[in-house]
Amino acid sequence: MDYAELPLPPELDGFVAAVWTLSANSPDWIEHEATPDGCIELIRRHTGRSIWREEQPALFVTGLAQATAKLRFSGDVSFTAIKLWPWAWHALGGAPCPGFADGWRGIAADDPLTALLPETGDPVPGLVRAFDGIALPPIAAVRTAESVAEITRHTGLPHRSLQRLFARDFGMPPRSYLRILRFRDALIEVQSSADPLADAAAATGYADQAHMARDFKALAGLAPREARVRAKGPFV
């Protein structure tokens, strides 16, 4: 399975976490698990078939996940996908995140969102145009925050207001979302570096390696050492 991420211009920082492609070349069906990463994913399947609980259409969007999603692909599958931060998804008119958390929904052919993922060509220029003139909201500070108190300082929202905002727009408490983002950073660190796992834990804000291992088990279903060997992008 070939997974790659396209380079992104600075104009998309804070709106788009990644644009990725995936293709397979196998005579058999492929089973993988997608890990939680705090993003909404708009996905176009160019060839083959894909199943998450049920057969998926050619264009669909996946919601915020708090556990791994068990996926099946036909061996001839190919995808292009956009990872959007939740506030970016809402800025484009996307449906409220709590409505399809830990799930997916199809995108109708006449939905304006289809223009973000053309059947052919690079979607990045269109994304730059789509976000032109849209300002990053204060909640985008959650990407680099280490605590709920830090989010409160960045947004200026009282704790109760912040809780209501996350319930409405994310479908989970701030602390749960921060946990997912820390795990996401740790997975990237574990995949991209051969440094000791204790160093990866320290670099991504874990108290120790054991704490990181518990999150890997809970959110990815495997140990960090296994993820280092098996993971391809967000797939294990």
Side-chain angles (χ1 to χ4, degrees), residues 4-13 15-21 42 46 80-84 92 113-132:
E5 294 187 0
L6 304 183
L8 298 178
E11 296 95 317
L12 295 180
D13 185 42
F15 295 109
V16 179
V19 175
W20 59 262
T21 61
L42 186 62
H46 303 287
T80 303
I82 304 166
K83 286 182 182 288
L84 295 162
L92 295 175
L113 290 168
T114 60
L116 296 178
L117 264 181
E119 293 186 18
T120 59
D122 184 351
V124 172
L127 285 168
V128 172
R129 291 191 295 272
F131 287 106
D132 184 38

Side-chain angles (χ1 to χ4, degrees), residues 36-38 142-143 145-146 175-189 200-208 211-212 215-216 219:
D37 61 8
V142 70
R143 293 179 305 139
E146 296 183 1
R175 192 175 303 277
S176 297
Y177 191 72
L178 285 175
R179 181 192 185 204
I180 289 170
L181 294 190
R182 183 172 55 185
F183 162 75
R184 173 183 181 271
D185 290 344
L187 180 60
I188 292 171
E189 182 73 17
T204 51
Y206 283 99
D208 50 41
H211 189 186
M212 181 177 77
D215 266 8
F216 268 70
L219 295 172

Side-chain angles (χ1 to χ4, degrees), residues 12-37:
L12 295 180
D13 185 42
F15 295 109
V16 179
V19 175
W20 59 262
T21 61
L22 182 149
S23 60
N25 183 14
S26 170
D28 304 314
W29 280 76
I30 300 166
E31 293 189 358
H32 275 288
E33 295 184 352
T35 58
D37 61 8

Side-chain angles (χ1 to χ4, degrees), residues 133-214:
I134 298 178
L136 272 181
I139 195 62
V142 70
R143 293 179 305 139
T144 56
E146 296 183 1
S147 66
V148 176
E150 191 174 336
I151 305 172
T152 300
R153 288 196 300 272
H154 278 294
T155 61
L157 292 173
H159 183 73
R160 287 184 181 275
S161 297
L162 189 69
Q163 293 281 351
R164 286 194 293 269
L165 183 150
F166 269 80
R168 184 193 70 214
D169 290 353
F170 294 72
M172 66 182 78
R175 192 175 303 277
S176 297
Y177 191 72
L178 285 175
R179 181 192 185 204
I180 289 170
L181 294 190
R182 183 172 55 185
F183 162 75
R184 173 183 181 271
D185 290 344
L187 180 60
I188 292 171
E189 182 73 17
V190 164
Q191 290 180 87
S192 61
S193 171
D195 291 344
L197 294 174
D199 291 352
T204 51
Y206 283 99
D208 50 41
Q209 185 178 335
H211 189 186
M212 181 177 77
R214 286 195 294 273

